[in-house]
Amino acid sequence: MSIVHFDEFGQFQQDSATPHTSRVTTKWLQQHFSDFRHFHCPPKSPGMNIIEPIWVVLQCAVQKRSPPPGTLMDLRTALQDLWCEKPPGH
């Protein structure tokens, strides 16, 4: 988790979306509870989605790369590099 967040803890935003409440997801979250800060928001509240603006920045940056990522591993590497390059406070 140190790749994602400077203090080694990630942020997980939980709502009532089906992928977040499935048995597999619920079990995984219970097993990894100590690895995340949990941010619970009301169901269907897109205005509170804290990751959307960052996804837009990352998507635009990936689309500008030349050559574009050719494999899933290339995409992962590009996203990790771009995440580390993001401006402070972004």
Side-chain angles (χ1 to χ4, degrees), residues 30-45:
Q30 288 171 347
Q31 292 171 346
H32 296 88
F33 183 81
S34 62
D35 296 337
F36 294 92
R37 288 187 189 103
H38 293 267
F39 177 78
H40 186 82
C41 65
K44 300 179 181 177
S45 57

Side-chain angles (χ1 to χ4, degrees), residues 6 54 57 82-90:
F6 72 93
I54 296 171
V57 169
L82 292 164
W83 182 267
C84 291
E85 295 169 7
K86 71 181 181 7
H90 197 271

Side-chain angles (χ1 to χ4, degrees), residues 1-2 15 37 40 43 51-52 56 65 75-76 85:
M1 199 44 73
S2 61
D15 59 15
R37 288 187 189 103
H40 186 82
I51 196 70
E52 288 300 324
V56 171
R65 289 179 82 92
L75 177 59
R76 178 185 174 141
E85 295 169 7

Side-chain angles (χ1 to χ4, degrees), residues 11-84:
Q11 177 81 27
F12 181 78
Q13 181 176 341
Q14 177 66 295
D15 59 15
S16 295
T18 303
H20 297 171
T21 58
S22 71
R23 280 183 285 187
V24 172
T25 303
T26 301
K27 182 178 177 180
W28 188 90
L29 287 170
Q30 288 171 347
Q31 292 171 346
H32 296 88
F33 183 81
S34 62
D35 296 337
F36 294 92
R37 288 187 189 103
H38 293 267
F39 177 78
H40 186 82
C41 65
K44 300 179 181 177
S45 57
M48 293 185 67
N49 195 334
I50 59 177
I51 196 70
E52 288 300 324
I54 296 171
W55 281 131
V56 171
V57 169
L58 290 174
Q59 180 182 9
C60 291
V62 166
Q63 289 173 346
K64 290 179 184 176
R65 289 179 82 92
S66 182
T71 66
L72 285 177
M73 186 53 89
D74 291 343
L75 177 59
R76 178 185 174 141
T77 301
L79 289 169
Q80 286 176 336
D81 291 346
L82 292 164
W83 182 267
C84 291

